[in-house]
Amino acid sequence: MTELRLSRRPVTRALTTTKINVPKTPMPREALLEEIGRACGEYGVTTTSFGIASTKDPRLVSDIRRGRQPGLRVQRKVLAYIASLGREVVA
């Protein structure tokens, strides 16, 4: 929630309107890979296309498989992209 000062009283509003379960702490790498794998299999998306569409990083999935631990911002982008594909995300 952010505060907007339009007058003397603060007005609060939500930043997002999409309802996805976004983690407040980073997910384990394996759990994120599972979600990505399910989404790619279910929607027929290649891992390269998934990385480009979700974070503009074509090597995202291969880097995670090699041991990269994505930060919270990247995880949120990935989960939001999966949700936009129509899949319900459980984090």
Side-chain angles (χ1 to χ4, degrees):
M1 303 288 271
T2 60
E3 283 192 7
L4 299 174
R5 294 238 176 215
L6 302 175
S7 63
R8 290 184 178 186
R9 285 190 291 161
V11 177
T12 57
R13 66 178 172 92
L15 289 176
T16 60
T17 56
T18 358
K19 292 185 179 183
I20 58 173
N21 191 5
V22 179
K24 295 190 187 317
T25 59
M27 294 171 63
R29 187 176 62 85
E30 296 80 15
L32 187 62
L33 271 175
E34 271 184 39
E35 288 293 329
I36 293 170
R38 282 190 207 133
C40 286
E42 190 172 326
Y43 293 102
V45 178
T46 65
T47 56
T48 302
S49 299
F50 183 90
I52 292 170
S54 62
T55 61
K56 298 180 182 168
D57 181 2
R59 295 184 343 191
L60 173 73
V61 180
S62 62
D63 286 352
I64 294 172
R65 286 180 181 152
R66 288 190 197 122
R68 172 180 162 193
Q69 176 62 48
L72 194 54
R73 179 185 288 170
V74 170
Q75 287 185 12
R76 287 179 176 166
K77 287 180 180 182
V78 166
L79 294 175
Y81 178 67
I82 292 172
S84 76
L85 290 173
R87 185 179 188 304
E88 184 176 339
V89 178
V90 179

